[in-house]
Structure formats: C-alpha cells, structure tokens
Amino acid sequence: MIIREINAMRGPNYWSVRRHKLIVMVLDLEEMEERPSNKIDGFYDRLKAMFPTMYEHRCSVGEPGGFFQRVEEGTWMGHIIEHIALEIQTLAGMDVGFGRTRGYGEEGVYSVVFAYMEESVGRYAAKAAVRICEALIEGEDYDMADDIQKMRELRENDRLGPSTGSIVEEAEARGIPWIRLNKYSLCQLGYGANQKRIQATVTSETSSIGVELACDKEDTKYLLEQAEVEVPRGDIIRRERSLEEACDYVGFPLVIKPIDGNHGRGITVNIQNYDEALEAFHQAKESSRSGAIIVEKFITGEDYRVLVINNKMVAAAKRTPAHVIGDGKSTVQELIDEVNKDPRRGYGHENVLTQITVNELTKTIIKDAGYTLESVIAEGERLILKDTANLSTGGTAEDVTDIVHPANVSMAERISKIIDLDICGIDIMTTDISKPLSETGGAVLEVNAGPGFRMHLAPTSGLPRNVAAPVIDKLFPQKGDTGRIPIVAITGTNGKTTTSRLMAHIAKMKGYRVGYTTSDGVYIQNRLLMTGDCTGPASAEFVLKDPTVNFAVLECARGGLLRAGLGFKKCDVGIVTNVAADHLGLKGIHTIEQLAKVKGVIPETVLPSGYAILNADDDLVYDMRRSVECHIALFSMDENNPRIKALQRLNGITAVYENGYVTICRGEWKMRIMKAEHIPLTYGGKAKFMIQNVLAAVLGAHVQGISIEDMKAALETFIPSASQTPGRLNLFEFKDFTILLDYAHNPAGMMALKKFTDELEATVKVGIIAGVGDRRDEDTNQVGSIAAEMFDEIIIRQDKRLRGRTEEELIKLLNDGIQMKDPNKKTTIIPSEREAITHAVKNAQKGSLIILCSDVIPDALELVKKFKEQDLKGEPFMA
C-alpha cells in the first residue's frame, strides 16, 4: 500500500466540495485491489474492536452503523483508510466528518479526500491511517496512543490560539477573508491595500507607545497614580540592599514581581516577612530582563480581569487559580487527577479548561502550604496549586460582566485611554467588583497589552461573551466592509495568460494599483517580482498579501487547482476562456469533462454579487453556468449565437464580435468599443483567438464598472511585444525574414496559431516545435500533424519539459504525427532549442517566416533579441 502524494486543498477541489480544509491522498493499493474488506479473515471484527465509536459513521447507507455495514458487505481499503483518518482525528479532539474516496483513473489507485482542522494533523492522520489499515489487514496489534498524542501536540503547535482564532472566526462570519502570515499568531484580515493585521489581540492599530507603557509596570503605575486611579502602594528597586527599606515603606503583606515580567513568571504573593521577601526578590530577578523589581502592597480579595476594547468595557471575569478542595480522604494527587477528569479540561487550549499539570512550582506551592502530593487535606479546605489565575495553567473563570459597578466600568475605560491601548486587560484585586474600589480598598494591579480572550469566550461559569466582535467593529467600522479588493480570476486551456495581462492593463489604465499572476511570473504594479509559472495558490496569496495592491488579477491553472486549491476563497469575477484536451492523464484527470470540472472551480467561487464570465462558443464552458451562485455574463465570436440571444432577452450582459467590432451588449443594446482591426493585440483582426481574449477581458472590465472610454484607451496601448505579452504572438522583423514566437504547446493552441499564420504572407514558413512530456501520446502526435499542415519545413527540438519522458520518445511522437499527415514533409531534428533557433536563423530564406513554438519563453526571447541586435548592426548571427 503506497501513498503517492498528499496535497492540502485550501480551496474547493475538483469535485466542487464546498469545504476549504481538505487533504487529498492518492493511494496506490496494488495487491490490495483484489482484497476488499469482506475477503480478509477477521478484518471486520478487528476494525470494530479497534474503533467502536465508528458506529456513528453513516457512510453512503445514510444511518448510524452504515460504514460497518459497508465493511461487512465488502469495500475497498481506500474507503476504510478515509474513515480511519477521520476517526483518529476525532479521537484526538478534532471532530471532522467529511470524506470521499473515488477512483483515480488507474487500476488499483484511489483519490482519498478527508477534512482536517490543522493541516499538519491531517497529513499525519493520512499516514497513520495507512499504517493502522496495514496492521488490521495483517492481524497485528497496533497502539494508537502515540498517534493520538502526537496529533494533539501538532494541533497545539500549529493552531491559532483561542484569542486569535476567535477574531478570525468573527471575521469569517462577516465575509472578511484572512491569511495566516507566519506559524504563530500574525494574521491578515482583508486583502491588499484594505488589509488589517492582528497578532493575538494586538492589532495594526494598537499604539506602540501603549504597548511599551503596559510592559513597563513602573511607568504604568506612575501614570495611573497621577490620574488618581487606585493602585497598591509600592516601590521599585534593583539591588538587594534596597529591599529592606522598600518592605518597611510598603508594609507586609506584600507582593514582589519583575517590572517587565509576563505570564505570571517571577511573581510571589502574600509575603509575610523579610526572609520570604528576600527569596521572592531573587526569583523575580531571574525573570526580569531589566533587573528592576516591584515591591508593592498585597491587596486581599478576588482576582478580576476587565477587558476594554476601543475604550469600552466589553467583559469582566473573576479568575481563580488552579486548586483542589479536600474531601478528608483523598491525597492531593488524587484530587488533581479527579479534577482533570472533567470533560471540559483538555490538552493545551483544545477545551474550555486546561488540565492541571504538576511541575516544580506546583510542588513548591504545596510544600509552602505544609503539604505534599501524598497528603490528605481536610474536607472543604481549598489548596491553591498555581501562583497565577491563568486559564492556561488550569485556572477557572466566572463571567461577572453584568455586575461590575459603573464607577469601576468608567475607571477601566479611562485607564485604556490613559495608557492608550485599543485592546487592554486590566487586572483588579477587590473583595467585591460590584462596589467601587474606593469602598472595598481594592486596587488596579496591572494593565495588559494583548490580553487573552479565552476566559471571556468560554468562562467556566456565567455567560460567554463574543469579545472578538468589537475588535472587528474597530478594525472595519463601516457596515458591510469586508476588507476585500476586486479579484478577477481567470482560467482556461488557452488564452488565460493574455487575458490576464490585458485585464490587468485595463485596470492599471483606470488607475488601480494592480497585482497579477501569470505563467511567466508575478507582477506588482508592473514590476516583475517572481519569475516562473506563478499560477498556483502561493502566487495568488503573494498578490493578496501585498499592502500596495488594490486590484488583483489571478491566472489559475489546473495544476495549482489540483495540487493545492486556490489562494483565495471568493472572487468578484471568474473568467473561463475555453476548455480543450491538455494535460489529460495527470493527477486523476483523464477526460476533457473531468478537466472542465477542474476549470469550473473558478466560476463556482465567484461571490453572489459577482459575475462568472463564460465562453458561449464552448459547450463545456457554457455548461458551467449550472453550478454557479452568481450572475452570468457570456462572450462569443458570433453575435447570433442562440445562447447569447437567450441571455440578451433576459437583459443579461454579453460581449460579441459583430461587424468587425468588439461590442458589449446590455440586453440587446449594443455598446461598441472599437473595431478589432484597430486593436493592436489582434494584428489587424487576423488573430481571431486574440479577439476572443479581448472579449473576455472587456466583459470583465465592464462588470467591474470600468468605462468604455477607459477600455478603449487600454486596448489601444496594449501592444503585443516581448515586454507586454511575452511569448504570445511576438513578431520580430529582421531585414530578410520574420520570426514569430508563441507559447502554443498543445493541439488547441497550435490550431489557433495555424488560423493566424495562414493569413500571413511568407515565401516559406519554417516551424520549430517540441513535445511536452506530461501529455498523452495522441496529443503529441496531433501537435506534429497540425505542424505538418502549418509549415513548409519543420525543425523538431526537444531539450526541455521532458517530464519523465526521453528526448527520443518525444521526437518520435512528433515525427510520427508529421508522417501521418505528410510523409514527405521536410523535417530536421535538432534537439537543442538554442541550436534549432540558430540553425533556422542562419539558413533563413528571404521573405521567410520562422515560427518558434517555445514552452520556455525567457530563454527563447533572449536568443531572438540577441539575433535582432546582430541583424541591426549587420553582424553575422552568433548564438
């Protein structure tokens, strides 16, 4: 049993599953192909014994126990692995339920898809499920305990914390997209120029001065004292010799803590004498970065945390440190174990409460109380186990928001302005929060920047508070603001790169700061920042993360969609240029109908208010309209196309090529943009496939509110060239001959190129062609056959894009295609592209046209430009 590949799908996969966290695992079951579950002795009983809770899996039967029924009747191992992967994640505290298993198109190979909460856990579960299934088949024992714990640890390491997670969930609920920017808590809400950032509960609008003040307890206390806020009497010292004087000034009992500490480190409370103070001083020193130590009055009462967001109190909680209550017969350790049995307590942040762990600090606190872990404490006696009330150390929280006295509310809101924090947590010690501090003798102990939300989101008792909502309200104050920028996503078999570049050019001419991805690279405001094939999700995220971009145009190829999904969840415009046979036989896509489903992901992700722009001349593309949840706009090279007419009768938006014009129609009203022959990209109207690309782009611009005048200006200035449209109909005029460089690399692209070159005059047409290793044999044969019709002479080269094939194989497939069409066609084989181009240039006849079909554009362009310079200087051609 072999795992061929595991891919994380962050967008809808090619089954159009509307989920965004899926693992795709390709399983090569080999010898298992002929051994379904009912053919392996004892398999059913072993599986049921190992996973009794799998009874809840309904499977396709549609009722509890349905999965076991399938196993008993006989099902394939890929299906069982899917369910094991889901079940072990659930056992590790991550309840996931979606899964599918389908044939891959190869005998014995399956695509297994299942959900995950954290990608690292999903990947681990995939591999663990295979190991478990193998053990079940062989009848071997398997202990899942290590796998379950490993998945819990992975989740805690990789997941967003409760505070960050709550803000992200609130953003998602409001339609605000988000991107995690590092492996910790730094997240982006919104896209491009409209983005806001959070890191835990610190936002991009949090005052850095406020954070510095909150981290400096001395300055904080001084400012609060000056503002007549009740704070404990205290002193700040740096040397041991100052300790006794400070203790005399403050008076016992007192608290000693580092001035720049956090998470309760180095804090000692309820110090009753100088010896205890001396020991506490040294502990605080170890946790202090600056060496400054606070000695202040120990205030008795309960520990309260008041949360203020945007200068408004939104929640308050009473916090209690981790503790046990004696029953007169159980040891301290037994009491801790009993507390940890509470189903609300879990590992790390996985549940409402955290399990209490016994560490050296806990043992010290127990010892100071006069006990050990083996001691039995009296019934009803409470034993504190931690020196802080943090939930992360096993503490509990009770919501008290509704009983905070108005004077205390006003004080907390005033403190947030004094320290200048948009989000702050204020620690208060008082006997009764429902009374003013001035009456109870309570005091403000600390002001925290980046306070945790967990105690408010899921208190142990009391009403949970959605404290993430006011954070989003502050970051996105305008009603309905989602922080999005316009996103135009473009896919198709051919023409998508040119359409993407033209769409980006139109937006730039309108005044947008455009970021766009293509098969040549990623561009931000016309600057090439990444090179290579950049049509996947990583490149899309690169654009959407850039804070200078306010309009995104994203080319989306099938490879990226199948490999890792999309780099965005929703777009405003989704354009599909066409669907033709290409890359079939790869990643489970064996038919053009399956390929259309992959391409159809783009229109499916368009927002309900957006537009899916579809090619009405392509049956498979036109059928995509059935699965979208947005508006539809159509384009066609035939204004009388019945599909166009039908949409026009419904007052829909279309773009057509009519009477030589590129025209947009609203209903049946025509708005002519300009004659196609006057659009440089179409080469005087000869390049029909370029007119089709223009139709798609202007339709995308129109539904984005760009005017006809702006579109016309953009079309007139979008000149086909090596810089603006690299590798797309790049013509180079030499003194005696012409070179045409184009990216055509599949049968559909070659046919479109043929239609264009058939209209070009030349004494002889010489074609330089190559095969691509990841195409089917018949596709490469067809490229050869089309070339035989296009060219008077053919040069076959083959030194790039072998992709698992040999040069000899690809050359033979092309030559076979040529021979099938014209056995007498003059054909030369020169494997090196550089040598092939050099040969064609040096032997070019006067008036000839050399058509270079290149799949690695930068290298070919560089060489052709070099020859062009030599031609201008009258120098001999030298590669």
Side-chain angles (χ1 to χ4, degrees):
M1 198 179 294
I2 299 171
I3 296 178
R4 286 191 180 179
E5 60 189 271
I6 298 178
N7 301 318
M9 300 287 289
R10 288 189 177 80
N13 70 347
Y14 57 87
W15 290 311
S16 299
V17 178
R18 295 197 173 279
R19 302 243 176 169
H20 293 280
K21 287 189 173 182
L22 303 173
I23 286 287
V24 178
M25 173 170 52
V26 181
L27 283 178
D28 191 341
L29 301 183
E30 296 186 336
E31 75 279 1
M32 304 298 173
E33 171 69 3
E34 302 301 325
R35 298 180 68 192
S37 55
N38 62 342
K39 299 295 184 182
I40 302 173
D41 290 341
F43 183 88
Y44 172 83
D45 294 330
R46 290 193 293 273
L47 179 69
K48 198 166 186 178
M50 193 171 190
F51 297 105
T53 52
M54 267 193 187
Y55 182 77
E56 295 301 320
H57 291 212
R58 295 171 174 268
C59 204
S60 57
V61 176
E63 60 186 36
F67 171 63
F68 281 123
Q69 181 180 329
R70 291 287 306 277
V71 173
E72 193 170 24
E73 293 171 352
T75 190
W76 302 109
M77 290 303 143
H79 181 205
I80 293 168
I81 288 168
E82 166 210 323
H83 280 266
I84 292 175
L86 292 171
E87 185 66 12
I88 60 177
Q89 288 184 86
T90 299
L91 293 173
M94 288 154 276
D95 191 10
V96 290
F98 176 83
R100 292 286 186 272
T101 300
R102 296 288 186 270
Y104 189 72
E106 300 174 23
E107 187 175 352
V109 182
Y110 296 87
S111 283
V112 179
V113 179
F114 60 88
Y116 64 83
M117 288 186 175
E118 296 297 328
E119 184 178 324
S120 58
V121 176
R123 289 175 178 271
Y124 186 93
K127 295 173 182 177
V130 173
R131 293 194 298 268
I132 292 168
C133 195
E134 288 174 331
L136 286 168
I137 291 170
E138 298 301 325
E140 299 172 349
D141 292 334
Y142 191 98
D143 186 357
M144 289 188 297
D146 288 344
D147 288 331
I148 299 301
Q149 182 59 24
K150 180 64 176 178
M151 286 189 286
R152 283 176 170 166
E153 292 172 0
L154 286 171
R155 184 189 189 190
E156 286 305 302
N157 287 336
D158 294 353
R159 70 184 294 189
L160 292 172
S163 303
T164 313
S166 69
I167 297 172
V168 165
E169 286 175 11
E170 181 65 23
E172 281 194 318
R174 301 188 190 194
I176 300 169
W178 68 281
I179 300 172
R180 192 172 185 173
L181 298 177
N182 64 13
K183 63 179 181 179
Y184 302 109
S185 301
L186 182 62
C187 294
Q188 172 184 318
L189 307 179
Y191 286 147
N194 294 335
Q195 67 180 267
K196 303 289 185 179
R197 292 183 181 182
I198 59 169
Q199 183 159 282
T201 59
V202 175
T203 77
S204 50
E205 297 183 359
T206 299
S207 161
S208 60
I209 293 177
V211 172
E212 286 189 21
L213 282 174
C215 292
D216 189 325
K217 293 177 175 60
E218 181 179 8
D219 278 353
T220 298
K221 186 175 181 181
Y222 176 77
L223 287 175
L224 294 183
E225 279 181 324
Q226 296 298 306
E228 295 295 331
V229 173
E230 288 89 348
V231 294
R233 170 182 283 196
D235 198 3
I236 295 170
I237 63 175
R238 286 178 168 78
R239 288 173 289 276
E240 183 182 323
R241 66 173 178 264
S242 305
L243 178 61
E244 188 171 359
E245 182 181 347
C247 290
D248 290 341
Y249 168 69
V250 175
F252 296 103
L254 50 80
V255 177
I256 293 179
K257 56 187 175 182
I259 198 167
D260 48 9
N262 53 41
H263 300 293
R265 297 187 183 96
I267 299 175
T268 306
V269 300
N270 200 17
I271 298 167
Q272 298 291 339
N273 54 58
Y274 182 74
D275 289 339
E276 290 180 5
L278 185 60
E279 183 180 350
F281 174 84
H282 290 298
Q283 287 182 7
K285 269 286 189 182
E286 292 177 5
S287 299
S288 175
R289 295 188 298 274
S290 65
I293 305 300
I294 292 179
V295 180
E296 67 183 16
K297 188 70 176 178
F298 176 61
I299 306 297
T300 58
E302 303 286 356
D303 183 347
Y304 293 92
R305 163 64 64 81
V306 176
L307 180 64
V308 181
I309 298 175
N310 202 18
N311 307 129
K312 295 291 182 183
M313 193 202 85
V314 297
K318 182 170 75 173
R319 303 187 298 175
T320 305
H323 65 279
V324 292
I325 298 174
D327 60 4
K329 55 185 178 182
S330 302
T331 67
V332 172
Q333 183 63 64
E334 288 170 342
L335 291 172
I336 293 172
D337 293 341
E338 188 62 30
V339 169
N340 282 337
K341 288 180 182 178
D342 186 336
R344 295 176 299 171
R345 291 190 182 271
Y347 179 81
H349 290 152
E350 70 179 4
N351 286 347
V352 173
L353 297 174
T354 299
Q355 290 192 345
I356 301 172
T357 57
V358 176
N359 54 20
E360 289 304 316
L361 174 62
T362 306
K363 292 176 182 177
T364 300
I365 293 172
I366 294 172
K367 181 181 177 182
D368 290 344
Y371 299 110
T372 68
L373 288 170
E374 288 72 40
S375 299
V376 175
I377 57 177
E379 185 174 356
E381 181 181 344
R382 186 169 79 165
L383 176 63
I384 300 297
L385 302 172
K386 300 292 181 181
D387 61 350
T388 67
N390 294 338
L391 268 65
S392 59
T393 59
T396 59
E398 176 189 352
D399 178 71
V400 295
T401 305
D402 296 329
I403 66 169
V404 180
H405 193 278
N408 295 334
V409 172
S410 176
M411 176 195 68
E413 294 175 351
R414 186 164 165 259
I415 288 171
S416 73
K417 292 184 179 181
I418 292 168
I419 305 301
D420 191 23
L421 283 173
D422 60 343
I423 302 174
C424 70
I426 301 167
D427 293 340
I428 298 174
M429 185 71 70
T430 182
T431 54
D432 189 349
I433 196 71
S434 67
K435 296 178 180 178
L437 295 191
S438 58
E439 294 182 12
T440 63
V444 173
L445 304 182
E446 240 179 276
V447 179
N448 299 275
F453 285 179
R454 185 182 177 194
M455 71 188 78
H456 308 296
L457 294 165
T460 315
S461 61
L463 190 66
R465 307 286 174 170
N466 181 11
V467 293
V471 176
I472 300 298
D473 289 339
K474 182 183 188 304
L475 295 175
F476 300 94
Q478 297 298 320
K479 187 177 180 180
D481 182 5
T482 61
R484 298 178 55 83
I485 61 173
I487 298 175
V488 179
I490 300 169
T491 193
T493 301
N494 295 302
K496 55 186 178 294
T497 297
T498 300
T499 305
S500 297
R501 285 180 169 276
L502 178 56
M503 184 73 238
H505 182 72
I506 295 171
K508 283 183 286 186
M509 292 294 289
K510 175 62 178 174
Y512 286 108
R513 300 187 302 277
V514 182
Y516 61 103
T517 66
T518 70
S519 56
D520 310 315
V522 177
Y523 296 79
I524 303 294
Q525 299 188 62
N526 275 354
R527 293 188 178 275
L528 178 63
L529 298 184
M530 293 175 67
T531 58
D533 188 346
C534 296
T535 55
S539 303
E541 277 199 355
F542 182 90
V543 168
L544 298 174
K545 287 190 289 190
D546 193 289
T548 68
V549 170
N550 62 9
F551 195 105
V553 179
L554 308 175
E555 179 182 344
C556 303
R558 56 165 294 287
L561 287 167
L562 292 173
R563 183 176 61 254
L566 295 166
F568 56 91
K569 289 185 178 179
K570 294 290 183 180
C571 59
D572 300 274
V573 178
I575 298 175
V576 187
T577 58
N578 48 58
V579 176
D582 194 24
H583 291 288
L584 298 183
L586 296 176
K587 293 188 178 294
I589 304 302
H590 298 275
T591 69
I592 191 170
E593 288 75 20
Q594 288 177 318
L595 182 60
K597 286 186 177 182
V598 177
K599 306 288 187 183
V601 166
I602 297 302
E604 286 175 10
T605 59
V606 176
L607 290 162
S609 59
Y611 278 85
I613 296 177
L614 306 176
N615 184 349
D617 298 333
D618 187 309
D619 293 343
L620 290 172
V621 175
Y622 181 67
D623 281 347
M624 293 177 189
R625 76 195 189 283
R626 302 180 188 279
S627 60
V628 304
E629 298 177 355
C630 61
H631 304 295
I632 295 171
L634 301 176
F635 64 93
S636 172
M637 293 292 288
D638 177 12
E639 70 167 323
N640 295 312
N641 183 322
R643 296 164 177 173
I644 293 289
K645 290 295 186 183
L647 185 58
Q648 288 176 345
R649 285 193 294 272
L650 295 174
N651 205 37
I653 302 173
T654 58
V656 294
Y657 177 54
E658 52 85 25
N659 294 314
Y661 283 90
V662 169
T663 300
I664 289 176
C665 303
R666 277 191 170 270
E668 296 182 350
W669 292 99
K670 293 180 179 179
M671 296 176 284
R672 286 179 171 171
I673 300 175
M674 60 189 301
K675 276 201 166 185
E677 64 185 40
H678 296 154
I679 300 174
L681 187 62
T682 70
Y683 285 92
K686 295 185 179 70
K688 301 299 183 186
F689 61 95
M690 284 297 189
I691 299 176
Q692 189 179 75
N693 295 336
V694 170
L695 291 173
V698 297
L699 202 47
H702 180 69
V703 298
Q704 278 296 295
I706 298 175
S707 69
I708 299 292
E709 291 73 19
D710 287 331
M711 280 188 264
K712 184 174 180 180
L715 291 173
E716 289 174 338
T717 56
F718 192 69
I719 312 298
S721 63
S723 60
Q724 206 153 34
T725 57
R728 274 71 183 178
L729 293 190
N730 299 155
L731 269 173
F732 296 87
E733 298 285 351
F734 287 70
K735 291 177 181 175
D736 295 325
F737 58 91
T738 301
I739 293 180
L740 174 65
L741 174 61
D742 194 77
Y743 188 64
H745 58 286
N746 56 42
M750 288 293 288
M751 281 302 299
L753 183 61
K754 179 181 182 300
K755 291 177 182 178
F756 173 61
T757 56
D758 282 351
E759 296 193 34
L760 300 181
E761 295 294 331
T763 55
V764 61
K765 294 177 183 177
V766 179
I768 301 175
I769 65 171
V772 181
D774 58 1
R775 290 342 191 255
R776 299 175 303 175
D777 289 358
E778 56 264 40
D779 295 330
T780 307
N781 286 153
Q782 192 176 355
V783 167
S785 294
I786 296 169
E789 292 184 89
M790 288 176 66
F791 309 124
D792 301 303
E793 301 176 16
I794 299 174
I795 299 173
I796 302 176
R797 63 92 183 157
Q798 196 63 62
D799 59 343
K800 296 170 184 175
R801 290 211 176 188
L802 298 178
R803 296 180 179 176
R805 302 265 198 165
T806 65
E807 288 186 2
E808 291 75 16
E809 283 180 296
L810 291 171
I811 290 171
K812 183 178 186 304
L813 288 170
L814 286 169
N815 203 32
D816 287 348
I818 294 168
Q819 294 299 310
M820 283 187 282
K821 184 60 64 174
D822 185 353
N824 299 315
K825 182 66 65 177
K826 181 180 179 182
T827 305
T828 306
I829 297 172
I830 306 176
S832 164
E833 182 180 61
R834 193 174 188 85
E835 292 177 9
I837 297 172
T838 303
H839 173 83
V841 168
K842 286 186 174 181
N843 293 280
Q845 299 179 28
K846 191 176 183 63
S848 64
L849 172 64
I850 299 170
I851 302 167
L852 170 56
C853 300
S854 177
D855 49 11
V856 183
I857 300 302
D859 295 348
L861 273 176
E862 181 184 0
L863 183 57
V864 172
K865 287 178 180 178
K866 183 177 180 181
F867 286 144
K868 179 69 174 173
E869 290 176 6
Q870 292 171 356
D871 189 53
L872 290 172
K873 295 177 182 178
E875 298 174 353
F877 294 120
M878 300 289 290

